[in-house]
Amino acid sequence: MSFYEQLKQRIPPITLNLILINLLVWLAQIVFRRLGFDLSQILGLKFYAADSFYPFQLFTYAFLHDTQGFAHILFNMFSLFMFGGAVEQRMGSWRYLFFYVTCLIVAGLSQELFWFTELRDVVFSSADIIHLNGVQMLPKADFFNMFVTVGASGAVFGLLLAFGMLYPNVPMYIMFIPIPIKAKFVVLGYGLLELFLGVSSYSDGIAHYAHLGGMLGGLVLLLIWRKKGLLR
């Protein structure tokens, strides 16, 4: 039996293939980067006003990750493994895939909305040159092209919310907290933490509003399915 066949016996199919696709794309990013080409400039999510923005980026950005280290891809794939498998078993593979894609698209749209609220004065300004920190000057087009988001975190946070709603009383252990916490409280805590960090940490390089958007997209979809009786 091949290694892939063994994995298929342990991990539900959509979750397994999502993990493998993300890992393969990450390896491709590293190879292309060494060849002098950054895939995130084409497939990463750009600000809608940038000339390098394309609608397909609202989907492709979620399969790219930071290539400067392992933390980004490791955290997302571990979370996908931990929560995605259980959610897929409960939802069924195709509904689960639809849920995952919905979360990542809503997360991307949320990031676009955040960028717009922060940059709307520049968007509507008639000036063609942007002054950064009062020193550096950039053409407006180059300034917009600076913004890019990559990663599956928005979809993963949607899965975390789904796990908390589908398995609300499952005990979970959080690092540095020696007692188990019910999943529903973990999800609530993560949501509040992301909201706080999104408001207070504009320049930390993390797309907190995309995380919240993924959770919001998942919540709306779960409530619709629950109302229609498609999911308990």
mmCIF file of all heavy atoms in Angstrom, residues 6 8 17 23 28 34 40 48 51 55 74 110-111 127 134 149 156 170 178 185 195 197 216-217:
data_model
loop_
_atom_site.group_PDB
_atom_site.id
_atom_site.type_symbol
_atom_site.label_atom_id
_atom_site.label_comp_id
_atom_site.label_asym_id
_atom_site.label_seq_id
_atom_site.Cartn_x
_atom_site.Cartn_y
_atom_site.Cartn_z
ATOM 1 N N GLN A 6 -2.216 5.140 2.468
ATOM 2 C CA GLN A 6 -2.265 5.099 3.934
ATOM 3 C C GLN A 6 -2.813 6.401 4.500
ATOM 4 O O GLN A 6 -3.592 6.395 5.458
ATOM 5 C CB GLN A 6 -0.865 4.834 4.485
ATOM 6 C CG GLN A 6 -0.313 3.458 4.133
ATOM 7 C CD GLN A 6 1.080 3.235 4.690
ATOM 8 O OE1 GLN A 6 1.421 3.731 5.760
ATOM 9 N NE2 GLN A 6 1.898 2.495 3.948
ATOM 10 N N LYS A 8 -4.910 8.367 2.976
ATOM 11 C CA LYS A 8 -6.338 8.416 2.661
ATOM 12 C C LYS A 8 -7.169 7.654 3.676
ATOM 13 O O LYS A 8 -8.346 7.965 3.886
ATOM 14 C CB LYS A 8 -6.576 7.845 1.258
ATOM 15 C CG LYS A 8 -6.141 8.774 0.132
ATOM 16 C CD LYS A 8 -6.279 8.124 -1.230
ATOM 17 C CE LYS A 8 -7.718 7.783 -1.550
ATOM 18 N NZ LYS A 8 -7.854 7.206 -2.910
ATOM 19 N N ASN A 17 -6.365 16.324 0.313
ATOM 20 C CA ASN A 17 -5.952 16.937 -0.945
ATOM 21 C C ASN A 17 -5.698 18.431 -0.802
ATOM 22 O O ASN A 17 -4.807 18.977 -1.468
ATOM 23 C CB ASN A 17 -6.995 16.664 -2.027
ATOM 24 C CG ASN A 17 -6.922 15.244 -2.558
ATOM 25 O OD1 ASN A 17 -5.954 14.857 -3.211
ATOM 26 N ND2 ASN A 17 -7.938 14.443 -2.275
ATOM 27 N N LEU A 23 0.879 22.330 0.158
ATOM 28 C CA LEU A 23 2.305 22.015 0.289
ATOM 29 C C LEU A 23 3.010 22.067 -1.067
ATOM 30 O O LEU A 23 4.124 22.590 -1.179
ATOM 31 C CB LEU A 23 2.482 20.634 0.920
ATOM 32 C CG LEU A 23 2.083 20.521 2.401
ATOM 33 C CD1 LEU A 23 2.164 19.065 2.865
ATOM 34 C CD2 LEU A 23 2.972 21.407 3.274
ATOM 35 N N ALA A 28 6.485 25.004 -4.897
ATOM 36 C CA ALA A 28 6.608 25.707 -6.183
ATOM 37 C C ALA A 28 7.006 27.170 -5.962
ATOM 38 O O ALA A 28 7.818 27.720 -6.732
ATOM 39 C CB ALA A 28 5.295 25.622 -6.950
ATOM 40 N N ARG A 34 13.652 31.103 -6.255
ATOM 41 C CA ARG A 34 15.079 30.935 -6.549
ATOM 42 C C ARG A 34 15.403 31.238 -8.006
ATOM 43 O O ARG A 34 16.542 31.562 -8.347
ATOM 44 C CB ARG A 34 15.522 29.522 -6.189
ATOM 45 C CG ARG A 34 15.465 29.242 -4.688
ATOM 46 C CD ARG A 34 16.139 27.955 -4.319
ATOM 47 N NE ARG A 34 16.173 27.772 -2.883
ATOM 48 C CZ ARG A 34 16.793 26.764 -2.278
ATOM 49 N NH1 ARG A 34 17.414 25.839 -3.002
ATOM 50 N NH2 ARG A 34 16.794 26.676 -0.966
ATOM 51 N N SER A 40 3.605 35.132 -5.621
ATOM 52 C CA SER A 40 2.611 35.921 -4.891
ATOM 53 C C SER A 40 2.262 37.214 -5.618
ATOM 54 O O SER A 40 1.205 37.801 -5.375
ATOM 55 C CB SER A 40 3.110 36.234 -3.474
ATOM 56 O OG SER A 40 4.220 37.118 -3.511
ATOM 57 N N TYR A 48 -7.726 45.946 -4.797
ATOM 58 C CA TYR A 48 -8.533 45.989 -6.019
ATOM 59 C C TYR A 48 -8.157 47.150 -6.931
ATOM 60 O O TYR A 48 -8.370 47.093 -8.158
ATOM 61 C CB TYR A 48 -10.019 46.060 -5.666
ATOM 62 C CG TYR A 48 -10.526 47.453 -5.405
ATOM 63 C CD1 TYR A 48 -11.109 48.210 -6.415
ATOM 64 C CD2 TYR A 48 -10.395 48.041 -4.144
ATOM 65 C CE1 TYR A 48 -11.557 49.499 -6.195
ATOM 66 C CE2 TYR A 48 -10.836 49.328 -3.908
ATOM 67 C CZ TYR A 48 -11.423 50.053 -4.934
ATOM 68 O OH TYR A 48 -11.850 51.330 -4.707
ATOM 69 N N ASP A 51 -3.035 47.851 -10.386
ATOM 70 C CA ASP A 51 -3.096 47.340 -11.755
ATOM 71 C C ASP A 51 -2.686 45.873 -11.831
ATOM 72 O O ASP A 51 -2.840 45.241 -12.882
ATOM 73 C CB ASP A 51 -2.252 48.198 -12.698
ATOM 74 C CG ASP A 51 -0.805 48.328 -12.235
ATOM 75 O OD1 ASP A 51 -0.351 47.505 -11.418
ATOM 76 O OD2 ASP A 51 -0.125 49.267 -12.698
ATOM 77 N N PRO A 55 -9.422 39.240 -10.459
ATOM 78 C CA PRO A 55 -10.450 38.604 -9.624
ATOM 79 C C PRO A 55 -10.091 37.191 -9.162
ATOM 80 O O PRO A 55 -10.474 36.788 -8.058
ATOM 81 C CB PRO A 55 -11.686 38.603 -10.532
ATOM 82 C CG PRO A 55 -11.487 39.776 -11.442
ATOM 83 C CD PRO A 55 -10.018 39.824 -11.690
ATOM 84 N N LEU A 74 3.109 25.680 8.296
ATOM 85 C CA LEU A 74 2.966 24.638 9.311
ATOM 86 C C LEU A 74 1.723 24.868 10.160
ATOM 87 O O LEU A 74 0.937 23.935 10.394
ATOM 88 C CB LEU A 74 4.213 24.601 10.196
ATOM 89 C CG LEU A 74 4.235 23.520 11.279
ATOM 90 C CD1 LEU A 74 4.206 22.132 10.654
ATOM 91 C CD2 LEU A 74 5.467 23.671 12.175
ATOM 92 N N SER A 110 -13.103 40.469 2.729
ATOM 93 C CA SER A 110 -12.956 41.229 3.974
ATOM 94 C C SER A 110 -11.629 41.973 4.005
ATOM 95 O O SER A 110 -11.555 43.124 4.465
ATOM 96 C CB SER A 110 -13.055 40.292 5.176
ATOM 97 O OG SER A 110 -14.306 39.646 5.214
ATOM 98 N N GLN A 111 -10.576 41.326 3.506
ATOM 99 C CA GLN A 111 -9.289 41.997 3.436
ATOM 100 C C GLN A 111 -9.336 43.175 2.464
ATOM 101 O O GLN A 111 -8.771 44.238 2.737
ATOM 102 C CB GLN A 111 -8.204 41.004 3.011
ATOM 103 C CG GLN A 111 -6.798 41.577 2.988
ATOM 104 C CD GLN A 111 -6.330 42.029 4.364
ATOM 105 O OE1 GLN A 111 -6.798 41.519 5.385
ATOM 106 N NE2 GLN A 111 -5.417 42.982 4.394
ATOM 107 N N ALA A 127 -4.016 63.113 -6.710
ATOM 108 C CA ALA A 127 -2.549 63.125 -6.787
ATOM 109 C C ALA A 127 -2.046 61.819 -7.383
ATOM 110 O O ALA A 127 -2.575 60.742 -7.107
ATOM 111 C CB ALA A 127 -1.960 63.337 -5.394
ATOM 112 N N GLY A 134 6.627 61.107 4.735
ATOM 113 C CA GLY A 134 7.137 62.440 4.471
ATOM 114 C C GLY A 134 8.474 62.472 3.767
ATOM 115 O O GLY A 134 9.049 63.544 3.563
ATOM 116 N N THR A 149 -1.721 39.845 0.124
ATOM 117 C CA THR A 149 -2.055 38.903 1.194
ATOM 118 C C THR A 149 -2.013 37.486 0.640
ATOM 119 O O THR A 149 -2.502 37.233 -0.459
ATOM 120 C CB THR A 149 -3.459 39.189 1.768
ATOM 121 O OG1 THR A 149 -3.415 40.409 2.518
ATOM 122 C CG2 THR A 149 -3.905 38.069 2.705
ATOM 123 N N VAL A 156 -9.089 28.606 7.292
ATOM 124 C CA VAL A 156 -8.832 27.808 8.495
ATOM 125 C C VAL A 156 -9.625 28.342 9.677
ATOM 126 O O VAL A 156 -10.170 27.561 10.477
ATOM 127 C CB VAL A 156 -7.319 27.789 8.807
ATOM 128 C CG1 VAL A 156 -7.051 27.275 10.208
ATOM 129 C CG2 VAL A 156 -6.583 26.927 7.780
ATOM 130 N N VAL A 170 -16.654 19.740 22.932
ATOM 131 C CA VAL A 170 -15.409 18.970 22.891
ATOM 132 C C VAL A 170 -14.329 19.736 23.651
ATOM 133 O O VAL A 170 -14.108 20.921 23.380
ATOM 134 C CB VAL A 170 -14.969 18.721 21.438
ATOM 135 C CG1 VAL A 170 -13.554 18.151 21.390
ATOM 136 C CG2 VAL A 170 -15.939 17.770 20.757
ATOM 137 N N PRO A 178 -3.467 25.066 31.583
ATOM 138 C CA PRO A 178 -3.380 23.651 31.979
ATOM 139 C C PRO A 178 -4.717 22.919 32.066
ATOM 140 O O PRO A 178 -4.746 21.730 32.356
ATOM 141 C CB PRO A 178 -2.721 23.735 33.367
ATOM 142 C CG PRO A 178 -3.156 25.065 33.902
ATOM 143 C CD PRO A 178 -3.226 25.985 32.713
ATOM 144 N N PHE A 185 -16.008 27.955 23.496
ATOM 145 C CA PHE A 185 -15.366 29.088 24.163
ATOM 146 C C PHE A 185 -14.023 29.419 23.514
ATOM 147 O O PHE A 185 -13.616 30.585 23.480
ATOM 148 C CB PHE A 185 -15.193 28.791 25.647
ATOM 149 C CG PHE A 185 -16.491 28.595 26.379
ATOM 150 C CD1 PHE A 185 -16.708 27.454 27.133
ATOM 151 C CD2 PHE A 185 -17.503 29.537 26.301
ATOM 152 C CE1 PHE A 185 -17.909 27.261 27.798
ATOM 153 C CE2 PHE A 185 -18.704 29.362 26.966
ATOM 154 C CZ PHE A 185 -18.903 28.218 27.719
ATOM 155 N N LEU A 195 -10.430 40.284 16.579
ATOM 156 C CA LEU A 195 -11.041 41.611 16.495
ATOM 157 C C LEU A 195 -10.161 42.640 17.195
ATOM 158 O O LEU A 195 -9.901 43.729 16.666
ATOM 159 C CB LEU A 195 -12.439 41.595 17.116
ATOM 160 C CG LEU A 195 -13.194 42.926 17.093
ATOM 161 C CD1 LEU A 195 -13.400 43.402 15.658
ATOM 162 C CD2 LEU A 195 -14.542 42.774 17.797
ATOM 163 N N LEU A 197 -6.880 42.422 17.843
ATOM 164 C CA LEU A 197 -5.620 42.587 17.117
ATOM 165 C C LEU A 197 -5.829 43.347 15.822
ATOM 166 O O LEU A 197 -4.972 44.127 15.400
ATOM 167 C CB LEU A 197 -4.990 41.219 16.839
ATOM 168 C CG LEU A 197 -4.499 40.446 18.070
ATOM 169 C CD1 LEU A 197 -4.015 39.062 17.669
ATOM 170 C CD2 LEU A 197 -3.407 41.213 18.790
ATOM 171 N N LEU A 216 -16.799 34.831 9.675
ATOM 172 C CA LEU A 216 -18.123 35.378 9.376
ATOM 173 C C LEU A 216 -18.767 34.626 8.218
ATOM 174 O O LEU A 216 -19.959 34.278 8.265
ATOM 175 C CB LEU A 216 -18.008 36.864 9.047
ATOM 176 C CG LEU A 216 -19.306 37.564 8.645
ATOM 177 C CD1 LEU A 216 -20.315 37.509 9.782
ATOM 178 C CD2 LEU A 216 -19.035 39.008 8.237
ATOM 179 N N GLY A 217 -17.998 34.373 7.155
ATOM 180 C CA GLY A 217 -18.540 33.626 6.024
ATOM 181 C C GLY A 217 -19.001 32.242 6.424
ATOM 182 O O GLY A 217 -20.067 31.771 6.017
#
